[in-house]
Amino acid sequence: MQAREALKPLGLALSHEISNLRKEAAIALGEIGGADAVQLLSAAQSDPDPEVRKLVRLALARLSQPSA
C-alpha cells in the first residue's frame, strides 16, 4: 500500500474505539504528511484520550516544521 492510499484507513482508525489504534494512526499520519494528513489530524485534536491528543499535537508540530 502506498502512503497516500493509507490516508483513508488511517483516518478511520483515528475514530476507532481502541485508543492505541488511534495513537498509532496519529503517528503514521505524522510520518506520511501532506495536507490531507493535517486535515485528519486537526479533526482529532479533541480526542477524549489525552495521550492521543498529545500524539496528534506532536504529529501536527512535526508537519509544520520545514523539511531539513
Side-chain angles (χ1 to χ4, degrees), residues 48-63:
D49 185 311
E51 288 297 315
V52 174
R53 291 193 307 268
K54 175 183 171 183
L55 289 170
V56 166
R57 285 192 309 273
L58 289 171
L60 287 169
R62 177 181 183 182
L63 295 176

Side-chain angles (χ1 to χ4, degrees), residues 18-39:
I18 299 174
S19 64
N20 284 341
L21 187 56
R22 298 193 308 271
K23 292 175 196 176
E24 294 298 326
I27 293 167
L29 287 166
E31 292 177 6
I32 292 171
D36 291 334
V38 169
Q39 184 177 19

Side-chain angles (χ1 to χ4, degrees), residues 36-48:
D36 291 334
V38 169
Q39 184 177 19
L40 291 168
L41 288 164
S42 295
Q45 290 184 90
S46 61
D47 191 277

